[in-house]
C-alpha cells in the first residue's frame, strides 16, 4: 500500500509521519509522473492560493483532476479541502473540484481565532478526537451525495463523497492517527475492489 | 450527526506553531502597500510581512525604526486572503499588544527595527497571536522558543541583498543540531549550559533532529538561486525582504523565487526559473557595514 502526499507547499512532513505510523509506504508527489502508482493521495494544509498556483504552473492540474475523476481515494485537509471543493465562496482562485460542496475560507476568523477542540466522531470510535483548526475553512453547503462526518459549532467540518474525504481541521498535527487509518482503509478497499476487476 | 464540543482552547502552542507548519515550502514577502501585497499574493506568496519601509530603506534612512502605522497594516490585511505578519521592536510588548488587537496573524519580533529593550525579549507565551524571531545559532533559537516563539528564521543581514550571513546562520544551526544528535545524554546539561538554551528544548532537538518549530531563511535573499541554496541547506521556507520590491521587475522575481523554493533541488528547472528577471536589488558587502549597522547583533 503506497500513499502519496502532494508536496508543493504546506504540512507535508506531518502527513508523512502520520501515514508512516499507519504502516504504509509514503511518496512525496511533486511531479505528475509520481501519481501513477500511488493507491491514494493526501492534499495537505498550506495556503490554498499558493498550492493552486503551483498546480497550474507546473502542469499538474489535468493529472490530478483525472486521478479524482477516476474515483481514486483522495483526502484533503484544510487547504486540501478547499482544493477539492466544487465552489469557494467569493473567490476566483484555482481549485481542482470533485466534491459537491461549497466552502468558505478562513471561516472562523484570523489566526487569533484559531483553536483546538474535542470532537466526538462515532465513525472513529468513542474516544474524542482533538481537532486543530488553523484559519480553517468550513463547508457551507453540500449536495445529496455528500456524507457529513463531523460538525463543530453547528458547522460542517469533515465529509466524504465516494472516495473523496475532507476535513477542515488538521489530524496530522496530533498524535492521533485514527483519521489517517480511516483514509488508509478507504484506499485498501479501493485497491481490493479494483484488483477483482 | 452532531459533534459535541468541549475543551475549546485558543492560542495553544500547537495552534500557534501549526500556522507556521502550514507555511513550509513557501515564501513570505515584505510589502509596504496593498498593491504590493496583491502582487505578492498573485505570485504565490504564503504570507506577507506588512511594513512601512523594507529593510534596505530602513538601513538607508537611519534613525529609529518602529512598528508600522496600524492603518497601513489594516489596509494590507484587507487587500489579501493570505496571512499577514507585522514587525515589532525587540522587547516592545506594547507594540505587540497593539498588533494582536488588530488581528495580525503573526508578529515578527525583529532586529530590523530598533530594539526597545537591550536586555529582555518579549514574553511571547503570554500572547494568543504567534511570534517569529530571528536567530544566528541554536542557543539563540532555543532561547526565543523558550520565550514562546512559534517560528524561527535566520537573522542573516537584512537589507543587504547579500546571502552570506543567512548562510552562516543556517550552517551554524544545522551543525550544532548534528553535534547535539551525537552528544550522549549525560553531556546534554553541559551542552545546554554552553549554548545558553533551556534544557528541555535541547532534549527535544536531540530527539527530533531539528528545531521543535519551523525554521525559515531570512536576511539577504535576493535571487531564486539564493532561495534554493537556503532550502538545500535545510531551511523550511523563505522570507524575502527587500529582494523583491527593490529589484527592477518585482512581479517576475517574486514569481521566480516562489518557484525556486519549491523546485530547489532541480538545477535544470532552476536555470529556467532564473532566466530574464532583470536586475536584482543592489547588494552590500558585509565588511563595509559599520558595527552599529549590523542588524544581526541586535537581540541576544
Amino acid at each position: 500500500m503506497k500513499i502519496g502526499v502532494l508536496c508543493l507547499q504546506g504540512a507535508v512532513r506531518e502527513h508523512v509521519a502520520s501515514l508512516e505510523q499507519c504502516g504504509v509506504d509514503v511518496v512525496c508527489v511533486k511531479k505528475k509522473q509520481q501519481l501513477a502508482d500511488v493507491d491514494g493521495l493526501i492534499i495537505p494544509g498550506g495556503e490554498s492560493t499558493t498550492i493552486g498556483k503551483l498546480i497550474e504552473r507546473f502542469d499538474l492540474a489535468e493529472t490530478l483532476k483525472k486521478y479524482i475523476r477516476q474515483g481514486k481515494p483522495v483526502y484533503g485537509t484544510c487547504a486540501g479541502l478547499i482544493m477539492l471543493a466544487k465552489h469557494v465562496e467569493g473567490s476566483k482562485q484555482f481549485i481542482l473540484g470533485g466534491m459537491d460542496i461549497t466552502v468558505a475560507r478562513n471561516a472562523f476568523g484570523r489566526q487569533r481565532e484559531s483553536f483546538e477542540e474535542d470532537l466526538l466522531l462515532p465513525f472513529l470510535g468513542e474516544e474524542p478526537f482533538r481537532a486543530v483548526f488553523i484559519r480553517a475553512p468550513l463547508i457551507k453547503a453540500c449536495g445529496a451525495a455528500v456524507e457529513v462526518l463531523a460538525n463543530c459549532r453547528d458547522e460542517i467540518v469533515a465529509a466524504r463523497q465516494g472516495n473523496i474525504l475532507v476535513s477542515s481541521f488538521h489530524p496530522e498535527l496530533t498524535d492521533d492517527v485514527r483519521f489517517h487509518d480511516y483514509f488508509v482503509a478507504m484506499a485498501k478497499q479501493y485497491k481490493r475492489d479494483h484488483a477483482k476487476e | 450527526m452532531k459533534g459535541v464540543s468541549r475543551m475549546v482552547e485558543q492560542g495553544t502552542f500547537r495552534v500557534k506553531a501549526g500556522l507556521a507548519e502550514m507555511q513550509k515550502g513557501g515564501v513570505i514577502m515584505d510589502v509596504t502597500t496593498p498593491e504590493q501585497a496583491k502582487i505578492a499574493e498573485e505570485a504565490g506568496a504564503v504570507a506577507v510581512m506588512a511594513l512601512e519601509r523594507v529593510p534596505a530603506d530602513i538601513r538607508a534612512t537611519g534613525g529609529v525604526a518602529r512598528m508600522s502605522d496600524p492603518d497601513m497594516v489594516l489596509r494590507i490585511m484587507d487587500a489579501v486572503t493570505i496571512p499577514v505578519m507585522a514587525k515589532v521592536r525587540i522587547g516592545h510588548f506594547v507594540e505587540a499588544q497593539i498588533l494582536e488587537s488588530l488581528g495580525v496573524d503573526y508578529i515578527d519580533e525583529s532586529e530590523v527595527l530598533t530594539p526597545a529593550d537591550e536586555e529582555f525579549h518579549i514574553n511571547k507565551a503570554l500572547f494568543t497571536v504567534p511570534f517569529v524571531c530571528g536567530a544566528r545559532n541554536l542557543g539563540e533559537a532555543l532561547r526565543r522558543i523558550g520565550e514562546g516563539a512559534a517560528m524561527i528564521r535566520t537573522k542573516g543581514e537584512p537589507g543587504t541583498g547579500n546571502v552570506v550571513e543567512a548562510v552562516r546562520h543556517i550552517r551554524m544551526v544545522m551543525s550544532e543540531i548534528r553535534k547535539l544528535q551525537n552528544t550522549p545524554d549525560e553531556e546534554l546539561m553541559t551542552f545546554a549550559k554552553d549554548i545558553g538554551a533551556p534544557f528541555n528544548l535541547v532534549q527535544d532537538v536531540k530527539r527530533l533532529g531539528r528545531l521543535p518549530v519551523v525554521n525559515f531563511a531570512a536576511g539577504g535573499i535576493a535571487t531564486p538561486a539564493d532561495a534554493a541554496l537556503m532550502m538545500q541547506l535545510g531551511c523550511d521556507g523563505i522570507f524575502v525582504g527587500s529582494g523583491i520590491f527593490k529589484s527592477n521587475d518585482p512581479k517576475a522575481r517574486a514569481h521566480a523565487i516562489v518557484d525556486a523554493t519549491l523546485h530547489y533541488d532541480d538545477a535544470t528547472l532552476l536555470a529556467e526559473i532564473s532566466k530574464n528577471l532583470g536586475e536584482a536589488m543592489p547588494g552590500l558587502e558585509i565588511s563595509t557595514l559599520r558595527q552599529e549597522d549590523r542588524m544581526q547583533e541586535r537581540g541576544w
Side-chain angles (χ1 to χ4, degrees), chain A residues 9-10 14 30-31 57 110 116-117 128 130 135 149 151 154, chain B residues 1 5-6 9 12 14 21-22 24 43 81 105 259 262 266:
Chain A
Q9 190 274 313
E14 291 75 10
K30 229 179 197 187
K31 293 183 175 164
R57 270 182 216 170
R110 304 193 69 97
E116 50 180 87
E117 179 166 342
R130 194 68 178 163
R135 290 171 49 94
L149 294 177
N151 293 87
D154 294 330
Chain B
M1 192 204 73
S5 319
R6 31 197 196 108
E9 290 179 283
T12 60
R14 177 157 57 189
E21 302 290 355
M22 298 307 141
K24 288 200 303 283
T81 61
D105 296 294
D259 292 356
L262 169 61
D266 183 336

PDB file of all heavy atoms in Angstrom, chain A residues 9-10 14 30-31 57 110 116-117 128 130 135 149 151 154, chain B residues 1 5-6 9 12 14 21-22 24 43 81 105 259 262 266:
ATOM      1  N   GLN A   9       3.569  22.533  -1.116  1.00  0.00           N
ATOM      2  CA  GLN A   9       3.734  23.535  -0.062  1.00  0.00           C
ATOM      3  C   GLN A   9       2.838  23.110   1.094  1.00  0.00           C
ATOM      4  O   GLN A   9       1.771  22.568   0.869  1.00  0.00           O
ATOM      5  CB  GLN A   9       3.315  24.921  -0.602  1.00  0.00           C
ATOM      6  CG  GLN A   9       3.643  26.110   0.278  1.00  0.00           C
ATOM      7  CD  GLN A   9       2.554  26.350   1.317  1.00  0.00           C
ATOM      8  OE1 GLN A   9       1.381  26.358   0.991  1.00  0.00           O
ATOM      9  NE2 GLN A   9       2.946  26.520   2.566  1.00  0.00           N
ATOM     10  N   GLY A  10       3.286  23.337   2.326  1.00  0.00           N
ATOM     11  CA  GLY A  10       2.425  23.113   3.486  1.00  0.00           C
ATOM     12  C   GLY A  10       2.880  21.979   4.398  1.00  0.00           C
ATOM     13  O   GLY A  10       4.060  21.648   4.452  1.00  0.00           O
ATOM     14  N   GLU A  14       4.212  16.396   8.354  1.00  0.00           N
ATOM     15  CA  GLU A  14       3.311  15.865   9.382  1.00  0.00           C
ATOM     16  C   GLU A  14       2.453  14.729   8.829  1.00  0.00           C
ATOM     17  O   GLU A  14       2.233  13.725   9.499  1.00  0.00           O
ATOM     18  CB  GLU A  14       2.411  16.986   9.918  1.00  0.00           C
ATOM     19  CG  GLU A  14       3.138  18.042  10.744  1.00  0.00           C
ATOM     20  CD  GLU A  14       3.981  19.014   9.930  1.00  0.00           C
ATOM     21  OE1 GLU A  14       3.882  19.029   8.690  1.00  0.00           O
ATOM     22  OE2 GLU A  14       4.762  19.774  10.544  1.00  0.00           O
ATOM     23  N   LYS A  30       5.612  15.527  -6.225  1.00  0.00           N
ATOM     24  CA  LYS A  30       5.947  16.875  -6.663  1.00  0.00           C
ATOM     25  C   LYS A  30       5.724  16.985  -8.169  1.00  0.00           C
ATOM     26  O   LYS A  30       5.490  18.048  -8.693  1.00  0.00           O
ATOM     27  CB  LYS A  30       7.434  17.111  -6.369  1.00  0.00           C
ATOM     28  CG  LYS A  30       7.744  18.408  -5.654  1.00  0.00           C
ATOM     29  CD  LYS A  30       9.250  18.493  -5.398  1.00  0.00           C
ATOM     30  CE  LYS A  30       9.570  19.537  -4.358  1.00  0.00           C
ATOM     31  NZ  LYS A  30      11.003  19.775  -4.193  1.00  0.00           N
ATOM     32  N   LYS A  31       5.895  15.866  -8.858  1.00  0.00           N
ATOM     33  CA  LYS A  31       5.761  15.851 -10.315  1.00  0.00           C
ATOM     34  C   LYS A  31       4.728  14.819 -10.716  1.00  0.00           C
ATOM     35  O   LYS A  31       4.502  13.844 -10.009  1.00  0.00           O
ATOM     36  CB  LYS A  31       7.126  15.551 -10.945  1.00  0.00           C
ATOM     37  CG  LYS A  31       8.089  16.707 -10.684  1.00  0.00           C
ATOM     38  CD  LYS A  31       9.447  16.559 -11.307  1.00  0.00           C
ATOM     39  CE  LYS A  31      10.246  17.852 -11.055  1.00  0.00           C
ATOM     40  NZ  LYS A  31      11.684  17.700 -11.274  1.00  0.00           N
ATOM     41  N   ARG A  57       1.000  26.107 -12.533  1.00  0.00           N
ATOM     42  CA  ARG A  57       2.279  26.445 -13.148  1.00  0.00           C
ATOM     43  C   ARG A  57       3.084  25.230 -13.551  1.00  0.00           C
ATOM     44  O   ARG A  57       3.791  25.252 -14.537  1.00  0.00           O
ATOM     45  CB  ARG A  57       3.130  27.233 -12.145  1.00  0.00           C
ATOM     46  CG  ARG A  57       2.919  28.704 -12.239  1.00  0.00           C
ATOM     47  CD  ARG A  57       3.841  29.372 -11.240  1.00  0.00           C
ATOM     48  NE  ARG A  57       3.159  30.532 -10.688  1.00  0.00           N
ATOM     49  CZ  ARG A  57       3.601  31.218  -9.649  1.00  0.00           C
ATOM     50  NH1 ARG A  57       4.715  30.843  -9.034  1.00  0.00           N
ATOM     51  NH2 ARG A  57       2.933  32.255  -9.219  1.00  0.00           N
ATOM     52  N   ARG A 110      -9.392  35.045  11.782  1.00  0.00           N
ATOM     53  CA  ARG A 110      -7.954  35.072  11.519  1.00  0.00           C
ATOM     54  C   ARG A 110      -7.224  34.133  12.479  1.00  0.00           C
ATOM     55  O   ARG A 110      -7.865  33.444  13.286  1.00  0.00           O
ATOM     56  CB  ARG A 110      -7.432  36.506  11.648  1.00  0.00           C
ATOM     57  CG  ARG A 110      -8.165  37.511  10.740  1.00  0.00           C
ATOM     58  CD  ARG A 110      -7.428  38.820  10.652  1.00  0.00           C
ATOM     59  NE  ARG A 110      -6.183  38.666   9.916  1.00  0.00           N
ATOM     60  CZ  ARG A 110      -6.037  38.951   8.618  1.00  0.00           C
ATOM     61  NH1 ARG A 110      -7.031  39.411   7.904  1.00  0.00           N
ATOM     62  NH2 ARG A 110      -4.868  38.776   8.041  1.00  0.00           N
ATOM     63  N   GLU A 116      -8.278  24.714  19.113  1.00  0.00           N
ATOM     64  CA  GLU A 116      -8.413  23.267  19.085  1.00  0.00           C
ATOM     65  C   GLU A 116      -9.534  22.852  20.016  1.00  0.00           C
ATOM     66  O   GLU A 116      -9.822  23.542  20.998  1.00  0.00           O
ATOM     67  CB  GLU A 116      -7.085  22.580  19.431  1.00  0.00           C
ATOM     68  CG  GLU A 116      -6.389  23.070  20.678  1.00  0.00           C
ATOM     69  CD  GLU A 116      -5.077  22.304  20.926  1.00  0.00           C
ATOM     70  OE1 GLU A 116      -4.049  22.715  20.382  1.00  0.00           O
ATOM     71  OE2 GLU A 116      -5.109  21.311  21.667  1.00  0.00           O
ATOM     72  N   GLU A 117     -10.160  21.753  19.705  1.00  0.00           N
ATOM     73  CA  GLU A 117     -11.380  21.367  20.414  1.00  0.00           C
ATOM     74  C   GLU A 117     -11.611  19.867  20.250  1.00  0.00           C
ATOM     75  O   GLU A 117     -11.289  19.302  19.206  1.00  0.00           O
ATOM     76  CB  GLU A 117     -12.542  22.162  19.792  1.00  0.00           C
ATOM     77  CG  GLU A 117     -13.888  21.887  20.382  1.00  0.00           C
ATOM     78  CD  GLU A 117     -14.920  22.952  19.967  1.00  0.00           C
ATOM     79  OE1 GLU A 117     -14.534  24.059  19.520  1.00  0.00           O
ATOM     80  OE2 GLU A 117     -16.121  22.658  20.092  1.00  0.00           O
ATOM     81  N   PRO A 128     -12.874  10.944  22.126  1.00  0.00           N
ATOM     82  CA  PRO A 128     -12.985  12.201  21.361  1.00  0.00           C
ATOM     83  C   PRO A 128     -11.739  12.435  20.502  1.00  0.00           C
ATOM     84  O   PRO A 128     -10.651  11.966  20.846  1.00  0.00           O
ATOM     85  CB  PRO A 128     -13.101  13.286  22.435  1.00  0.00           C
ATOM     86  CG  PRO A 128     -13.343  12.589  23.709  1.00  0.00           C
ATOM     87  CD  PRO A 128     -12.896  11.170  23.570  1.00  0.00           C
ATOM     88  N   ARG A 130      -9.105  15.179  18.985  1.00  0.00           N
ATOM     89  CA  ARG A 130      -8.654  16.552  19.180  1.00  0.00           C
ATOM     90  C   ARG A 130      -8.506  17.216  17.807  1.00  0.00           C
ATOM     91  O   ARG A 130      -7.588  16.867  17.044  1.00  0.00           O
ATOM     92  CB  ARG A 130      -7.297  16.558  19.917  1.00  0.00           C
ATOM     93  CG  ARG A 130      -6.902  17.918  20.452  1.00  0.00           C
ATOM     94  CD  ARG A 130      -7.815  18.317  21.569  1.00  0.00           C
ATOM     95  NE  ARG A 130      -7.485  19.582  22.177  1.00  0.00           N
ATOM     96  CZ  ARG A 130      -8.350  20.261  22.941  1.00  0.00           C
ATOM     97  NH1 ARG A 130      -9.567  19.786  23.183  1.00  0.00           N
ATOM     98  NH2 ARG A 130      -8.006  21.395  23.488  1.00  0.00           N
ATOM     99  N   ARG A 135      -6.939  28.951  10.916  1.00  0.00           N
ATOM    100  CA  ARG A 135      -7.524  29.761   9.832  1.00  0.00           C
ATOM    101  C   ARG A 135      -8.372  28.855   8.933  1.00  0.00           C
ATOM    102  O   ARG A 135      -8.274  28.890   7.700  1.00  0.00           O
ATOM    103  CB  ARG A 135      -6.430  30.471   9.019  1.00  0.00           C
ATOM    104  CG  ARG A 135      -5.729  31.604   9.787  1.00  0.00           C
ATOM    105  CD  ARG A 135      -4.507  32.136   9.054  1.00  0.00           C
ATOM    106  NE  ARG A 135      -4.774  32.443   7.657  1.00  0.00           N
ATOM    107  CZ  ARG A 135      -5.112  33.639   7.180  1.00  0.00           C
ATOM    108  NH1 ARG A 135      -5.187  34.672   8.004  1.00  0.00           N
ATOM    109  NH2 ARG A 135      -5.356  33.817   5.909  1.00  0.00           N
ATOM    110  N   LEU A 149     -19.427  14.010   8.081  1.00  0.00           N
ATOM    111  CA  LEU A 149     -18.747  13.165   9.075  1.00  0.00           C
ATOM    112  C   LEU A 149     -18.529  13.878  10.400  1.00  0.00           C
ATOM    113  O   LEU A 149     -18.356  13.228  11.425  1.00  0.00           O
ATOM    114  CB  LEU A 149     -17.394  12.693   8.541  1.00  0.00           C
ATOM    115  CG  LEU A 149     -17.394  11.746   7.343  1.00  0.00           C
ATOM    116  CD1 LEU A 149     -15.961  11.446   6.919  1.00  0.00           C
ATOM    117  CD2 LEU A 149     -18.128  10.453   7.670  1.00  0.00           C
ATOM    118  N   ASN A 151     -19.299  17.749  12.748  1.00  0.00           N
ATOM    119  CA  ASN A 151     -19.743  19.131  12.921  1.00  0.00           C
ATOM    120  C   ASN A 151     -18.983  19.757  14.064  1.00  0.00           C
ATOM    121  O   ASN A 151     -18.539  19.077  14.981  1.00  0.00           O
ATOM    122  CB  ASN A 151     -21.234  19.184  13.285  1.00  0.00           C
ATOM    123  CG  ASN A 151     -22.116  18.723  12.157  1.00  0.00           C
ATOM    124  OD1 ASN A 151     -22.386  17.535  12.013  1.00  0.00           O
ATOM    125  ND2 ASN A 151     -22.559  19.658  11.352  1.00  0.00           N
ATOM    126  N   ASP A 154     -22.067  23.743  15.083  1.00  0.00           N
ATOM    127  CA  ASP A 154     -23.162  23.619  14.116  1.00  0.00           C
ATOM    128  C   ASP A 154     -22.740  23.802  12.667  1.00  0.00           C
ATOM    129  O   ASP A 154     -23.571  24.029  11.787  1.00  0.00           O
ATOM    130  CB  ASP A 154     -24.298  24.613  14.441  1.00  0.00           C
ATOM    131  CG  ASP A 154     -24.959  24.266  15.772  1.00  0.00           C
ATOM    132  OD1 ASP A 154     -24.971  23.060  16.117  1.00  0.00           O
ATOM    133  OD2 ASP A 154     -25.433  25.187  16.454  1.00  0.00           O
TER     134      ASP A 154
ATOM    135  N   MET B   1     -25.705  13.888  11.992  1.00  0.00           N
ATOM    136  CA  MET B   1     -24.811  13.600  13.122  1.00  0.00           C
ATOM    137  C   MET B   1     -24.213  14.894  13.664  1.00  0.00           C
ATOM    138  O   MET B   1     -23.840  15.769  12.906  1.00  0.00           O
ATOM    139  CB  MET B   1     -23.680  12.677  12.647  1.00  0.00           C
ATOM    140  CG  MET B   1     -22.880  12.108  13.763  1.00  0.00           C
ATOM    141  SD  MET B   1     -21.236  11.651  13.185  1.00  0.00           S
ATOM    142  CE  MET B   1     -20.487  13.243  12.971  1.00  0.00           C
ATOM    143  N   SER B   5     -19.007  19.478  21.406  1.00  0.00           N
ATOM    144  CA  SER B   5     -17.737  20.184  21.556  1.00  0.00           C
ATOM    145  C   SER B   5     -17.402  20.402  23.012  1.00  0.00           C
ATOM    146  O   SER B   5     -18.264  20.747  23.814  1.00  0.00           O
ATOM    147  CB  SER B   5     -17.851  21.561  20.900  1.00  0.00           C
ATOM    148  OG  SER B   5     -18.543  21.458  19.713  1.00  0.00           O
ATOM    149  N   ARG B   6     -16.152  20.167  23.361  1.00  0.00           N
ATOM    150  CA  ARG B   6     -15.700  20.557  24.691  1.00  0.00           C
ATOM    151  C   ARG B   6     -14.228  20.940  24.652  1.00  0.00           C
ATOM    152  O   ARG B   6     -13.547  20.705  23.670  1.00  0.00           O
ATOM    153  CB  ARG B   6     -15.940  19.456  25.720  1.00  0.00           C
ATOM    154  CG  ARG B   6     -15.854  18.099  25.151  1.00  0.00           C
ATOM    155  CD  ARG B   6     -16.462  17.065  26.027  1.00  0.00           C
ATOM    156  NE  ARG B   6     -15.969  15.792  25.542  1.00  0.00           N
ATOM    157  CZ  ARG B   6     -15.088  15.041  26.157  1.00  0.00           C
ATOM    158  NH1 ARG B   6     -14.612  15.408  27.307  1.00  0.00           N
ATOM    159  NH2 ARG B   6     -14.688  13.914  25.638  1.00  0.00           N
ATOM    160  N   GLU B   9      -9.750  25.509  23.151  1.00  0.00           N
ATOM    161  CA  GLU B   9      -8.578  26.296  23.546  1.00  0.00           C
ATOM    162  C   GLU B   9      -8.070  27.099  22.351  1.00  0.00           C
ATOM    163  O   GLU B   9      -7.871  26.548  21.278  1.00  0.00           O
ATOM    164  CB  GLU B   9      -7.445  25.378  24.007  1.00  0.00           C
ATOM    165  CG  GLU B   9      -7.696  24.693  25.331  1.00  0.00           C
ATOM    166  CD  GLU B   9      -6.522  23.792  25.673  1.00  0.00           C
ATOM    167  OE1 GLU B   9      -6.443  22.696  25.085  1.00  0.00           O
ATOM    168  OE2 GLU B   9      -5.683  24.203  26.492  1.00  0.00           O
ATOM    169  N   THR B  12      -3.056  27.927  21.774  1.00  0.00           N
ATOM    170  CA  THR B  12      -2.152  26.902  22.302  1.00  0.00           C
ATOM    171  C   THR B  12      -0.883  26.919  21.457  1.00  0.00           C
ATOM    172  O   THR B  12      -0.882  27.409  20.321  1.00  0.00           O
ATOM    173  CB  THR B  12      -2.778  25.494  22.197  1.00  0.00           C
ATOM    174  OG1 THR B  12      -3.050  25.224  20.812  1.00  0.00           O
ATOM    175  CG2 THR B  12      -4.068  25.401  22.996  1.00  0.00           C
ATOM    176  N   ARG B  14       0.406  24.500  19.980  1.00  0.00           N
ATOM    177  CA  ARG B  14       0.155  23.711  18.770  1.00  0.00           C
ATOM    178  C   ARG B  14      -0.550  24.544  17.696  1.00  0.00           C
ATOM    179  O   ARG B  14      -0.236  24.441  16.511  1.00  0.00           O
ATOM    180  CB  ARG B  14      -0.689  22.483  19.135  1.00  0.00           C
ATOM    181  CG  ARG B  14      -1.075  21.645  17.942  1.00  0.00           C
ATOM    182  CD  ARG B  14      -1.394  20.229  18.323  1.00  0.00           C
ATOM    183  NE  ARG B  14      -2.460  20.138  19.304  1.00  0.00           N
ATOM    184  CZ  ARG B  14      -2.796  19.000  19.908  1.00  0.00           C
ATOM    185  NH1 ARG B  14      -2.141  17.896  19.637  1.00  0.00           N
ATOM    186  NH2 ARG B  14      -3.773  18.982  20.777  1.00  0.00           N
ATOM    187  N   GLU B  21       3.708  25.704  10.421  1.00  0.00           N
ATOM    188  CA  GLU B  21       3.829  24.418   9.715  1.00  0.00           C
ATOM    189  C   GLU B  21       3.146  24.499   8.348  1.00  0.00           C
ATOM    190  O   GLU B  21       3.620  23.926   7.370  1.00  0.00           O
ATOM    191  CB  GLU B  21       3.186  23.277  10.527  1.00  0.00           C
ATOM    192  CG  GLU B  21       3.748  23.060  11.924  1.00  0.00           C
ATOM    193  CD  GLU B  21       5.155  22.485  11.950  1.00  0.00           C
ATOM    194  OE1 GLU B  21       5.685  22.162  10.870  1.00  0.00           O
ATOM    195  OE2 GLU B  21       5.722  22.379  13.058  1.00  0.00           O
ATOM    196  N   MET B  22       2.028  25.231   8.301  1.00  0.00           N
ATOM    197  CA  MET B  22       1.277  25.354   7.040  1.00  0.00           C
ATOM    198  C   MET B  22       2.013  26.225   6.028  1.00  0.00           C
ATOM    199  O   MET B  22       1.655  26.275   4.862  1.00  0.00           O
ATOM    200  CB  MET B  22      -0.123  25.943   7.297  1.00  0.00           C
ATOM    201  CG  MET B  22      -0.994  25.106   8.191  1.00  0.00           C
ATOM    202  SD  MET B  22      -1.139  23.397   7.630  1.00  0.00           S
ATOM    203  CE  MET B  22      -1.096  22.549   9.209  1.00  0.00           C
ATOM    204  N   LYS B  24       5.281  25.999   5.424  1.00  0.00           N
ATOM    205  CA  LYS B  24       6.510  25.344   4.970  1.00  0.00           C
ATOM    206  C   LYS B  24       6.557  25.234   3.446  1.00  0.00           C
ATOM    207  O   LYS B  24       5.543  25.012   2.803  1.00  0.00           O
ATOM    208  CB  LYS B  24       6.626  23.942   5.580  1.00  0.00           C
ATOM    209  CG  LYS B  24       6.959  23.958   7.057  1.00  0.00           C
ATOM    210  CD  LYS B  24       7.529  22.627   7.527  1.00  0.00           C
ATOM    211  CE  LYS B  24       6.608  21.462   7.268  1.00  0.00           C
ATOM    212  NZ  LYS B  24       5.487  21.361   8.216  1.00  0.00           N
ATOM    213  N   ALA B  43       1.775  36.219  -6.988  1.00  0.00           N
ATOM    214  CA  ALA B  43       2.996  35.467  -7.311  1.00  0.00           C
ATOM    215  C   ALA B  43       3.035  34.120  -6.581  1.00  0.00           C
ATOM    216  O   ALA B  43       3.841  33.260  -6.906  1.00  0.00           O
ATOM    217  CB  ALA B  43       4.227  36.283  -6.943  1.00  0.00           C
ATOM    218  N   THR B  81      -6.026  37.550   1.039  1.00  0.00           N
ATOM    219  CA  THR B  81      -6.628  36.477   1.856  1.00  0.00           C
ATOM    220  C   THR B  81      -5.566  35.657   2.578  1.00  0.00           C
ATOM    221  O   THR B  81      -5.886  34.862   3.464  1.00  0.00           O
ATOM    222  CB  THR B  81      -7.459  35.519   0.979  1.00  0.00           C
ATOM    223  OG1 THR B  81      -6.598  34.906   0.013  1.00  0.00           O
ATOM    224  CG2 THR B  81      -8.579  36.253   0.271  1.00  0.00           C
ATOM    225  N   ASP B 105      -1.824  38.103  11.853  1.00  0.00           N
ATOM    226  CA  ASP B 105      -1.745  36.653  12.003  1.00  0.00           C
ATOM    227  C   ASP B 105      -0.451  36.179  12.654  1.00  0.00           C
ATOM    228  O   ASP B 105      -0.407  35.084  13.228  1.00  0.00           O
ATOM    229  CB  ASP B 105      -1.910  35.988  10.636  1.00  0.00           C
ATOM    230  CG  ASP B 105      -3.276  36.257  10.049  1.00  0.00           C
ATOM    231  OD1 ASP B 105      -4.267  35.781  10.631  1.00  0.00           O
ATOM    232  OD2 ASP B 105      -3.372  36.985   9.039  1.00  0.00           O
ATOM    233  N   ASP B 259       8.770  29.740  -7.228  1.00  0.00           N
ATOM    234  CA  ASP B 259       9.018  28.509  -7.988  1.00  0.00           C
ATOM    235  C   ASP B 259      10.324  27.843  -7.541  1.00  0.00           C
ATOM    236  O   ASP B 259      10.405  26.616  -7.431  1.00  0.00           O
ATOM    237  CB  ASP B 259       9.089  28.819  -9.492  1.00  0.00           C
ATOM    238  CG  ASP B 259       7.735  29.241 -10.049  1.00  0.00           C
ATOM    239  OD1 ASP B 259       6.751  29.214  -9.283  1.00  0.00           O
ATOM    240  OD2 ASP B 259       7.664  29.610 -11.238  1.00  0.00           O
ATOM    241  N   LEU B 262      10.101  25.847  -4.318  1.00  0.00           N
ATOM    242  CA  LEU B 262       9.510  24.511  -4.494  1.00  0.00           C
ATOM    243  C   LEU B 262      10.518  23.553  -5.138  1.00  0.00           C
ATOM    244  O   LEU B 262      10.769  22.471  -4.635  1.00  0.00           O
ATOM    245  CB  LEU B 262       8.236  24.609  -5.347  1.00  0.00           C
ATOM    246  CG  LEU B 262       7.654  23.262  -5.831  1.00  0.00           C
ATOM    247  CD1 LEU B 262       7.255  22.374  -4.661  1.00  0.00           C
ATOM    248  CD2 LEU B 262       6.442  23.506  -6.737  1.00  0.00           C
ATOM    249  N   ASP B 266      16.232  20.989  -8.245  1.00  0.00           N
ATOM    250  CA  ASP B 266      16.206  20.646  -9.670  1.00  0.00           C
ATOM    251  C   ASP B 266      16.923  21.747 -10.462  1.00  0.00           C
ATOM    252  O   ASP B 266      16.333  22.763 -10.834  1.00  0.00           O
ATOM    253  CB  ASP B 266      14.736  20.507 -10.108  1.00  0.00           C
ATOM    254  CG  ASP B 266      14.591  20.068 -11.560  1.00  0.00           C
ATOM    255  OD1 ASP B 266      15.526  20.294 -12.368  1.00  0.00           O
ATOM    256  OD2 ASP B 266      13.534  19.502 -11.892  1.00  0.00           O
TER     257      ASP B 266
END
